[in-house]
Amino acid sequence: MVRIQLEHARLATLLATLLVALLVACCLLMVAVPVFAQGMRPGELGHFTIARLHYAGGGDWYSNQSSLPNLLMELQRRTGVPTTEREAIVTLDDESLFNYPMLYVTGHGVMRPIEADLSRLREWLDAGGFLWVDDNYGLDASFRESLARLYPDDELVALDGNHPIYSAYYELPGLPKVHEHDGLPAQGFALFHSGRMKIFYSFSSDIGDGLEDVQVHNDSAEVREAAMRMAINICYFALTQS
């Protein structure tokens, strides 16, 4: 019990610190100061990062390797939020899990978390963590099965284009379509629990592909910009939702 309380307090403190940094960054942007906290080193308290989840089951959790570094760089350049240069990589039993306010999941294959992993993830989410799952084509079925075990009394809700996540920083009409996959429309889903969005699921969109270095997929500038704006919105929403 003491360990759980300490981990919850650690995540709450981190979220509060990042929110203060975000508010300061917003104030600086309003007075046209281009860079927030010059001279701070990556990894210092107050720098936002995303933790990529190394999940069990055989799926390629490591795919789109240039996507998150590109996102973190652009998030700092465009919004002033101080970020690290690269994402962290964690497993659900990692002692450092509660150091990170946001987890990212992607891949083409299967995720098969054991019950202990789900319990740990639920604990992290209930303490204030935010999970972004970006289906890279093929993850949908196993993710939904895992979600039903994670929060059996809650379901994913389809978000329309008016949801605040689509206007958290940039005004977007909805989730952009990056790659065709089966030709289904891009759709954002969310899981709400205790009045807060805990999970955002980008389905049939492949935002991560759009964030990669240009030579990886040769996406157009328009597609890559739409993906970047959506990803920045997701991060901004995760840090500022009440």
Side-chain angles (χ1 to χ4, degrees):
M1 179 61 70
V2 173
R3 179 189 63 80
I4 293 175
Q5 290 174 339
L6 289 173
E7 287 180 335
H8 284 209
R10 181 172 40 166
L11 183 56
T13 300
L14 176 62
L15 287 167
T17 302
L18 288 169
L19 184 56
V20 169
L22 180 61
L23 292 172
V24 172
C26 290
C27 292
L28 290 175
L29 287 171
M30 290 174 65
V31 295
V33 177
V35 179
F36 171 74
Q38 291 189 14
M40 293 180 69
R41 296 185 301 277
E44 284 187 332
L45 186 64
H47 276 65
F48 172 72
T49 196
I50 301 168
R52 179 190 290 267
L53 183 61
H54 181 175
Y55 54 84
D60 54 343
W61 57 269
Y62 46 82
S63 62
N64 297 342
Q65 294 190 15
S66 62
S67 60
L68 294 184
N70 288 342
L71 169 57
L72 290 167
M73 178 179 66
E74 286 299 302
L75 181 65
Q76 176 163 304
R77 186 180 73 84
R78 298 184 188 206
T79 72
V81 174
T83 65
T84 59
E85 292 181 2
R86 294 195 60 86
E87 79 272 27
I89 297 175
V90 298
T91 58
L92 288 172
D93 61 356
D94 197 317
E95 290 185 358
S96 67
L97 176 65
F98 282 76
N99 290 338
Y100 305 105
M102 184 172 175
L103 284 179
Y104 175 77
V105 170
T106 192
H108 300 83
V110 176
M111 57 188 309
R112 289 197 177 94
I114 61 175
E115 288 304 319
D117 288 341
L118 291 174
S119 177
R120 181 84 161 148
L121 178 57
R122 188 183 306 111
E123 182 183 330
W124 176 83
L125 288 165
D126 289 346
F130 184 91
L131 172 63
W132 173 21
V133 179
D134 185 37
D135 179 31
N136 203 358
Y137 194 52
L139 194 66
D140 183 67
S142 63
F143 164 64
R144 289 177 182 271
E145 291 171 4
S146 300
L147 189 62
R149 294 162 55 205
L150 179 66
Y151 286 112
D153 297 327
D154 298 297
E155 295 182 354
L156 287 172
V157 176
L159 303 180
D160 63 31
N162 294 321
H163 191 275
I165 200 168
Y166 298 121
S167 57
Y169 192 81
Y170 291 104
E171 290 285 344
L172 300 176
L175 189 69
K177 183 74 171 173
V178 176
H179 285 174
E180 282 303 314
H181 293 172
D182 288 330
L184 297 174
Q187 178 63 62
F189 294 91
L191 184 138
F192 297 89
H193 187 80
S194 300
R196 186 176 68 88
M197 185 192 293
K198 296 193 174 185
I199 300 171
F200 179 75
Y201 177 39
S202 44
F203 172 69
S204 192
S205 170
D206 218 339
I207 297 296
D209 275 12
L211 301 177
E212 289 237 74
D213 292 342
V214 63
Q215 69 273 15
V216 177
H217 300 290
N218 294 314
D219 292 321
S220 69
E222 292 78 11
V223 166
R224 297 180 70 247
E225 178 63 16
M228 183 61 70
R229 290 187 176 198
M230 185 67 233
I232 288 174
N233 274 10
I234 294 168
C235 294
Y236 215 80
F237 179 84
L239 287 172
T240 59
Q241 71 167 324
S242 57

